[in-house]
Amino acid sequence: MSVKKIRFIEPANPPYRKSIENLFVYDKYIRNPSIGLLTLATIAKEKCSDVLMYSESISEIIWKDVFDADVIFISIFTFSAIRGYKLARFIKRHSNATVIIGGLHASMNYKESVKYCDYVLTGEGDESIPEVIDALNNNIPLENVKGIACMRNGKLFYTGKRRPPENIDTIPDRYLCYNYKKMAGHNTLWAQVHASRGCPFNCDYCALVRHYGRRVRTRTPENVVEDIKQSIAFHDDGHFRLAKMLWITDDNFFADRKWAIDVLNAIIKSGIKYNFTIQARFEVGFDDEMLELLKRAGFSELAMGIEFLEDEAFEITNKSCTYNDIVRSVKNIQKHGLRVRGLFIVGADNHTVGVGDRLADFVIKYNICGVLIQSMYFVPSTPVYDTHKDRLIDKDWSKCVGNVVHYPEKISPYELQKEIITASRKIYSIKRLLQAVIKKRGVERILFIGEFFWQKSVRDDLKKELPRLYRLSREHYNI
């Protein structure tokens, strides 16, 4: 076999479609394409001249172009797994291409994913994708490549887990993603850079640490700065954008403190003037030197993985944190002139009716600038999946977009779904929207207005699931 044409596909749930809402509502029918998959497409381009990525986050797929490819890689997260399987089966009916599924969900759950494709490629792919291309070009069975799963004579065959890649300095070629340059002008899409992989912590609900590992691997500061420059230029050149923001998407950017300081100093030295946001654990709120560097480098906010507001919930899920830690961290971050965005999880075993009000009251009291509220969901192979798999409502992974997907211990799925809606409505009320329009300035005002419409869209989707969850709750609890 000679590999002359490769296509990468990122399924979306729901897939992109044209809508006026795409101008101001993120994650309805538009969202950022995967930087990880773009990185893999860039690496594949070194081995094959005809490489293109389709992301259903920003465009429809041109099937005429896809069907005559030699190899098609499909990358899935848990929430997009069902869609990915549907696309894989569709391709197999219309194409002779070798179909390979990868991504976080497939890596964690290859025994399921292998039923829908020729091969599953587990792990990160930076080193294994070139090996796959070389093997196909030389008619070497892929069963010789580490990290491959497939069905042979009705039995599962797996070549074993491979070591994570050490060199992760590849700068993704964003032009390899179909229609991305055109869509990059949307204010709902932000420039993104991923600078490190891995996290030394071991929270039970986190799939990322199981996928990337607990040892932190980093890109050189110079490489990160160059990627930042290219990402900014890609999104801004030729476009008028009201909200100019770059998101460093690392799961734990601050895990390697010395490296993080070096990167921030490199950004400062580069002279880049831009608004940055970044994900963080609470510990960074106690590091005054780091907070000062963040402010000097142009960071305006931190998206903090607060998750819970109860010490019991932290203990249950193996996260070394307390409520008082969160409060002290938030206050100190704000003291340094940085906003705090809150990432929350509901549905821990200790949660009861009223969890939504407590969450909203906390956000308002401590001036959290925005929130993402997710019900607990359970990626296969995580500790929390192993302890809760008998309490899952079903394995319809498409529901894992914020909906309640299990039977909690002390509250019904129906009640918990209503708690999420209550918290969102209280935080993003008309009253608070008017306050934001009057009192907030610049990007902060634009972001709150955008999030107001986004959260309304989220609530509308959550409400659609209420009749189903009501019926399931009554059946489960024999009401």
Side-chain angles (χ1 to χ4, degrees):
M1 176 183 182
S2 178
V3 180
K4 297 180 179 179
K5 182 175 181 178
I6 299 174
R7 292 296 178 261
F8 288 80
I9 295 177
E10 179 190 20
N13 175 27
Y16 169 83
R17 72 174 176 84
K18 292 181 179 180
S19 170
I20 191 68
E21 291 181 276
N22 292 340
L23 298 175
F24 55 90
V25 181
Y26 182 79
D27 211 26
K28 182 72 174 178
Y29 305 114
I30 187 173
R31 61 191 67 81
N32 282 90
S34 166
I35 290 296
L37 194 59
L38 259 175
T39 300
L40 298 183
T42 304
I43 291 170
K45 183 75 172 177
E46 297 175 4
K47 293 282 185 178
C48 176
S49 61
D50 190 353
V51 173
L52 189 66
M53 169 183 161
Y54 288 97
S55 172
E56 286 194 312
S57 295
I58 57 167
S59 74
E60 297 177 350
I61 297 171
I62 309 300
W63 290 113
K64 183 179 179 181
D65 174 59
V66 171
F67 288 152
D68 66 349
D70 299 303
V71 184
I72 298 170
F73 293 96
I74 302 174
S75 179
I76 57 174
F77 288 96
T78 297
F79 70 89
S80 63
I82 300 298
R83 176 66 178 172
Y85 298 154
K86 181 179 179 180
L87 295 184
R89 282 182 162 171
F90 179 68
I91 292 168
K92 292 300 293 181
R93 289 198 302 269
H94 294 87
S95 171
N96 294 319
T98 298
V99 178
I100 302 174
I101 294 180
L104 187 147
H105 184 84
S107 295
M108 304 283 285
N109 200 17
Y110 63 84
K111 293 178 183 179
E112 173 190 273
S113 300
V114 76
K115 302 172 186 175
Y116 302 91
C117 58
D118 296 308
Y119 302 94
V120 171
L121 184 60
T122 63
E124 297 175 41
D126 304 58
E127 297 171 349
S128 51
I129 281 181
E131 291 181 22
V132 166
I133 297 170
D134 285 343
L136 292 172
N137 277 327
N138 293 285
N139 295 314
I140 299 172
L142 293 193
E143 288 85 335
N144 292 306
V145 176
K146 200 77 169 175
I148 286 284
C150 59
M151 298 299 296
R152 287 295 175 262
N153 300 317
K155 294 183 178 181
L156 177 67
F157 182 83
Y158 180 50
T159 61
K161 189 174 181 180
R162 65 185 297 138
R163 292 171 60 89
E166 294 297 326
N167 180 2
I168 58 172
D169 271 357
T170 301
I171 295 177
D173 181 353
R174 293 166 177 86
Y175 289 92
L176 288 178
C177 184
Y178 173 76
N179 223 35
Y180 189 12
K181 179 59 180 176
K182 175 184 176 183
M183 301 301 289
H186 283 68
N187 286 300
T188 43
L189 301 182
W190 292 3
Q192 293 187 346
V193 167
H194 202 82
S196 67
R197 303 179 194 175
C199 176
F201 297 97
N202 200 30
C203 303
D204 285 353
Y205 48 82
C206 183
L208 294 169
V209 71
R210 274 84 202 171
H211 183 62
Y212 290 116
R214 296 183 65 185
R215 187 171 64 83
V216 178
R217 289 161 289 133
T218 60
R219 298 166 64 182
T220 65
E222 297 78 16
N223 182 261
V224 174
V225 168
E226 179 58 30
D227 197 358
I228 288 172
K229 290 178 179 178
Q230 291 188 23
S231 186
I232 290 172
F234 182 86
H235 284 80
D236 289 358
D237 290 355
H239 299 299
F240 173 74
R241 297 169 56 80
L242 289 173
K244 294 187 176 184
M245 182 80 75
L246 186 142
W247 178 20
I248 294 184
T249 58
D250 297 36
D251 308 303
N252 193 347
F253 176 85
F254 305 100
D256 184 332
R257 186 177 185 276
K258 179 182 182 305
W259 170 82
I261 288 174
D262 288 344
V263 171
L264 294 175
N265 278 321
I267 293 173
I268 294 167
K269 185 179 178 181
S270 74
I272 296 172
K273 302 298 181 185
Y274 215 72
N275 275 316
F276 294 95
T277 184
I278 195 167
Q279 296 179 151
R281 277 176 57 101
F282 72 94
E283 290 95 342
V284 73
F286 306 139
D287 191 333
D288 291 330
E289 180 186 1
M290 190 76 75
L291 295 175
E292 185 59 33
L293 279 174
L294 285 165
K295 186 67 177 177
R296 287 176 55 201
F299 287 78
S300 54
E301 69 174 39
L302 278 69
M304 184 188 294
I306 295 173
E307 274 92 48
F308 310 110
L309 296 175
E310 310 88 13
D311 291 353
E312 183 182 358
F314 291 126
E315 184 175 348
I316 290 170
T317 55
N318 196 34
K319 180 170 182 177
S320 55
C321 182
T322 68
Y323 175 81
N324 287 335
D325 288 335
I326 295 295
V327 172
R328 288 195 300 118
S329 176
V330 167
K331 287 182 175 179
N332 198 43
I333 291 169
Q334 293 171 338
K335 180 181 176 181
H336 283 79
L338 298 162
R339 302 189 301 273
V340 176
R341 182 172 302 278
L343 312 179
F344 295 93
I345 299 173
V346 298
D349 289 341
N350 67 302
H351 283 171
T352 59
V353 172
V355 65
D357 277 323
R358 291 197 302 275
L359 193 160
D361 291 344
F362 175 88
V363 168
I364 294 169
K365 178 179 179 179
Y366 290 104
N367 195 30
I368 305 299
C369 70
V371 301
L372 172 65
I373 308 170
Q374 293 272 307
S375 181
M376 182 84 75
Y377 76 94
F378 308 85
V379 179
S381 297
T382 57
V384 77
Y385 176 86
D386 293 336
T387 55
H388 289 74
K389 58 187 176 184
D390 293 335
R391 286 199 268 145
L392 299 185
I393 290 174
D394 52 41
K395 289 188 178 179
D396 182 354
W397 307 119
S398 67
K399 301 296 184 184
C400 296
V401 286
N403 294 296
V404 180
V405 295
H406 78 300
Y407 296 98
E409 279 195 4
K410 298 181 179 180
I411 185 173
S412 74
Y414 172 71
E415 291 171 320
L416 185 59
Q417 189 94 338
K418 290 201 300 181
E419 292 293 322
I420 301 172
I421 295 168
T422 294
S424 171
R425 185 188 300 117
K426 194 169 182 178
I427 295 166
Y428 292 94
S429 65
I430 294 291
K431 177 182 177 181
R432 298 195 78 229
L433 173 65
L434 293 175
Q435 289 175 342
V437 170
I438 295 170
K439 296 181 180 180
K440 295 182 185 295
R441 295 289 181 270
V443 171
E444 193 173 358
R445 175 195 286 169
I446 294 169
L447 289 178
F448 193 93
I449 294 171
E451 287 170 26
F452 176 86
F453 290 106
W454 168 53
Q455 287 284 337
K456 182 180 184 306
S457 171
V458 169
R459 292 196 300 274
D460 289 343
D461 288 340
L462 292 173
K463 289 174 185 176
K464 291 175 184 176
E465 288 294 310
L466 285 176
R468 171 177 171 269
L469 292 174
Y470 179 74
R471 173 179 57 80
L472 290 169
S473 296
R474 287 181 62 87
E475 292 172 357
H476 183 78
Y477 300 108
N478 296 316
I479 298 175

